[in-house]
Amino acid sequence: MNEYKFRVKFLDDTKEFLDSIDEKSREKIIYNIWKAQSKNNKELFKKLQDEIWEFRTKYNETHYRFLAFWDKTNKHDTIVISTHGIIKKINKTPIKEIDKAERLRQQYFNNKTKDNENI
């Protein structure tokens, strides 16, 4: 049985992106995310800036990126939240995509705080 370093959760934008691509590409991406969960590999999972990271997959000359952030609020269950996916067409991940991931991160934690207050 594999020991994972973290769980991965997909937000709606990530799920929609995965649904929009072909099956073979989707399988390769899921496989690489699974691999990143079990061992440190900067080719598969890399910090971009501040709190934003990216899962990286190259398949059939296409560079897929899934932006993400860490949720370590539960000491027994670390989760990496994937905000959305893109097909990367330039060398650097576009700033607007990093900004979108940061907005979704802030929204996620604001909602989580509100949910905890309502318990």
Side-chain angles (χ1 to χ4, degrees), residues 100-113:
K100 178 179 179 178
E102 180 58 36
R103 279 193 314 276
L104 290 168
R105 186 185 81 79
Q106 290 173 0
Q107 181 181 347
Y108 170 87
F109 284 112
N110 286 342
N111 290 342
K112 190 170 185 172
T113 301

Side-chain angles (χ1 to χ4, degrees), residues 2 6 12 14 29 38 41 43 48 50 55 62 70 72 80 87 89 94 98 106 112 119:
N2 285 336
F6 53 84
D12 289 342
T14 300
I29 291 164
S38 48
N41 183 333
E43 294 302 312
L48 288 177
D50 301 324
F55 289 103
T62 302
W70 293 83
K72 297 181 180 179
V80 172
I87 294 175
K89 298 181 182 189
I98 296 170
Q106 290 173 0
K112 190 170 185 172
I119 294 177

Side-chain angles (χ1 to χ4, degrees), residues 35-50:
K35 262 175 70 174
Q37 288 177 276
S38 48
K39 66 181 184 176
N40 294 334
N41 183 333
K42 288 188 177 187
E43 294 302 312
L44 297 176
F45 189 54
K46 176 181 167 184
K47 185 173 187 173
L48 288 177
Q49 72 180 40
D50 301 324

